[in-house]
Amino acid sequence: MHKKKASLVPLINEEDLPSDDQQVVGSPMKSVNSASSPSLLLPGDSDTNSYFVSPQKLLTRRSQRIQTHLSEAKSLPEPGSEHGPGGRLDGLSPTSQSHDDACTLGSPIGTLSLQKSSSSSFRGGVKMCVDGRAASVSLTSESVFIKYNGNGSLVSCCLGVGNEDIPFSEIVSAELKGQRKSKWLGSPFAENVYELHVYSFARAASKPSVWLPRTIVFSSPAEKLIESWKQGIDESLAKVSDRRPKVLLVLINPFGGKKKASSVYDEVVAPVFTRAGIKASPLVTKCSGDARETIANLSIPELEQLDGIVAVGGDGLFHEIVNALLEIRSRQGESSHVASKIRVGHIPAGSTDAVACTLNGTRSAFTAAMHVALGDGVPLDVLRIDSEEGKTEFAVSMASYGFMGDLMEASEKVRWMGPVRYEIVGARMLAANRSYHARIEYLPAPEDHPSLSSRVCTSNCLICSQSSHSRLNSANKSFSYHAKESLTRLPEEWKVVEGDYAGIMLVIMPCRSEKSSKGVAKYGHLSDGNIHLVMVKRCSRWQYLRFLMSLSSNGLEAGTSSEFVDVVHAVAVKITHSRNTEENSTWNIDGELMKSNGIVAETHRGVIQVFARGVEHI
């Protein structure tokens, strides 16, 4: 009778065992020579049949490895100490915290850094499982640095193996999720594993300006380790939280666009604000002008509690909020000072959403909500418009007369049609081919100022950070002065044209949208103090259609002139129409309508602070 052979599993060469600064993800192998013997291949075990060892011996090694890991966790320094979470962690030297030698690669899971330095510079990083992969993780003064196991090559990075640097400025919060049974890092046996969820975002690979929700899961069998990392991340987030809002008033327009603003807030925005620890007070508006009235009636104590006011709707709702705040700021007294500290946000849920598209490069509600939660901020120009009839409006996108005004007026009568109404009514307006007589006076921007260069406005825009030119109103609270006062400034520099115009547009920001990806004003900026004054003379239907197609595909550029279109940079404009109001068009101011025989308009630089950082990638 032959003796039954013992069940065997592969043995590991000692040099193949993971070193102190290395952890390799393994996977269980099929048993050798016996279906009844369980696989015991562990993380770090090499696939070799050179030697064999019994399951009992391999289990002993597994137990020793776990004990070593737990001992390391117990010896961790307390959070906030010099080398603990919140301080300079894990023995990383200043050189090891620097990532100047890293190059970046866009990826669906975020921007990964391909580190050129040797792996030895990361010794001391805490061993964890990150999103199911073995990694060495460290806290720097500005980020969470993750060194995934792998050779750091381009191929391994694209497969999710490499290095990743996650700035605290892009982390919303961290949350302990308790313990669960799991086969941690390929272990054949389930054990108690503790998880820390870090809430951030990932940039879409095809369009980096679009942010996608991302939860980064850190796990370890060492409870103390996970708790200390939670405390360390919280302490680091506290250092970048000065600009993050704590209390917000959220105004929701349930009638705009596809009438989905309420569900957008409940399903997309509210969860982001909750995780960010923001106390949000949502209020559904009942009609046009309701938001404006609501803000105007806020008391000083109520205003003092607010860090910002957020619009969930279209450009019209954002326009109402801006106008209400600037009206308060125009007053004398304490309320003016308090209102000047309130920032404004736009969560797109309207028909066009030019404000959100221009600020963020996308109509993604999640992206806009994240910019609010992270406290991103940029200044925004406003255009003060005073009518002959004594009415004042502030615009942040565009004020238009003629074709665009007629289009908006007619579209308001068929709102029940939804966004498609613009195409249908637009075709009718094009067939009508109307034009209106007007006298246009304007103060040009200085030709040699850097803001007139052909640069696209993006995040950290150099043009928007340039000093203002001398032709802008430099008075304190300049926006509170009637625009007609601009007529007395450099009177000899004003230009005058007169004629019949199919359309007149005063464009304040780039005005990007899904219909005009490059923007109406291709080289317009969020905060340069300039207006793109567009004058379209009377022309044929075909010529105006060609103009609209050019505007949609390429955008307009100041300084260009054709047979029937002129585009100039200006800082103030006066437009006078026919005295017969029946022969006049309607002014379309950020989607809001205003009838007038004439207006005076002046731009004011960086008056409003908005929750955004500008378009990251064009």
Side-chain angles (χ1 to χ4, degrees), residues 137-392:
V137 190
S138 304
L139 286 187
T140 72
S141 60
E142 297 180 352
S143 65
V144 177
F145 186 78
I146 305 171
K147 178 180 181 289
Y148 296 103
N149 275 5
N151 56 18
S153 67
L154 183 63
V155 174
S156 64
C157 183
C158 292
L159 294 175
V161 180
N163 300 335
E164 187 173 8
D165 215 1
I166 307 171
F168 293 119
S169 60
E170 297 184 354
I171 294 175
V172 171
S173 62
E175 180 183 12
L176 291 172
K177 300 299 286 188
Q179 70 178 32
R180 64 181 179 85
K181 289 286 186 180
S182 175
K183 294 182 179 181
W184 193 66
L185 291 182
S187 166
F189 304 108
E191 56 187 294
N192 288 331
V193 173
Y194 300 87
E195 288 187 351
L196 173 65
H197 288 199
V198 174
Y199 301 114
S200 182
F201 65 90
R203 293 174 173 85
S206 59
K207 190 175 182 181
S209 291
V210 178
W211 294 358
L212 307 173
R214 183 188 179 194
T215 301
I216 308 159
V217 180
F218 296 83
S219 62
S220 170
E223 181 179 11
K224 181 181 177 182
L225 170 65
I226 294 297
E227 289 178 349
S228 68
W229 269 77
K230 166 68 164 65
Q231 183 176 345
I233 291 175
D234 285 347
E235 291 174 355
S236 296
L237 290 178
K239 297 176 183 177
V240 298
S241 66
D242 291 347
R243 293 286 293 168
R244 296 189 179 186
K246 308 296 188 300
V247 181
L248 294 174
L249 172 62
V250 181
L251 297 173
I252 304 169
N253 177 11
F255 308 107
K258 297 181 180 179
K259 301 182 179 180
K260 294 185 177 180
S262 294
S263 60
V264 166
Y265 177 75
D266 292 338
E267 298 170 13
V268 179
V269 181
V272 173
F273 288 177
T274 299
R275 283 178 172 170
I278 296 173
K279 181 181 179 182
S281 300
L283 180 64
V284 178
T285 60
K286 299 179 177 62
C287 59
S288 177
D290 191 20
R292 199 166 184 163
E293 184 178 352
T294 298
I295 297 171
N297 291 331
L298 292 175
S299 65
I300 292 179
E302 288 172 326
L303 289 171
E304 286 177 329
Q305 292 178 4
L306 295 177
D307 296 309
I309 302 177
V310 176
V312 183
D315 298 322
L317 181 59
F318 187 86
H319 169 86
E320 282 193 42
I321 293 174
V322 168
N323 274 265
L325 284 175
L326 291 181
E327 285 171 8
I328 296 174
R329 290 173 58 182
S330 297
R331 304 171 190 165
Q332 299 296 324
E334 187 178 354
S335 62
S336 173
H337 174 70
V338 173
S340 66
K341 298 181 179 180
I342 296 176
R343 288 175 285 170
V344 185
H346 183 207
I347 309 295
S351 300
T352 306
D353 300 317
V355 173
C357 283
T358 301
L359 295 177
N360 307 322
T362 175
R363 292 181 74 183
S364 162
F366 173 79
T367 303
M370 283 293 289
H371 282 296
V372 175
L374 296 175
D376 291 336
V378 292
L380 196 62
D381 289 347
V382 299
L383 181 73
R384 173 167 177 147
I385 303 169
D386 292 297
S387 71
E388 284 189 2
E389 294 74 21
K391 187 175 182 180
T392 300

Side-chain angles (χ1 to χ4, degrees), residues 84-137:
R88 185 165 59 83
L89 254 188
D90 312 321
L92 285 180
S93 65
T95 54
S96 67
Q97 293 187 38
S98 173
H99 311 308
D100 293 340
D101 295 332
C103 59
T104 60
L105 175 70
S107 164
I109 65 164
T111 301
L112 301 180
S113 299
L114 304 182
Q115 203 69 21
K116 295 180 180 179
S117 57
S118 64
S119 60
S120 61
S121 63
F122 298 98
R123 287 181 178 174
V126 175
K127 298 174 186 177
M128 282 193 193
C129 183
V130 181
D131 290 339
R133 290 168 285 166
S136 178
V137 190

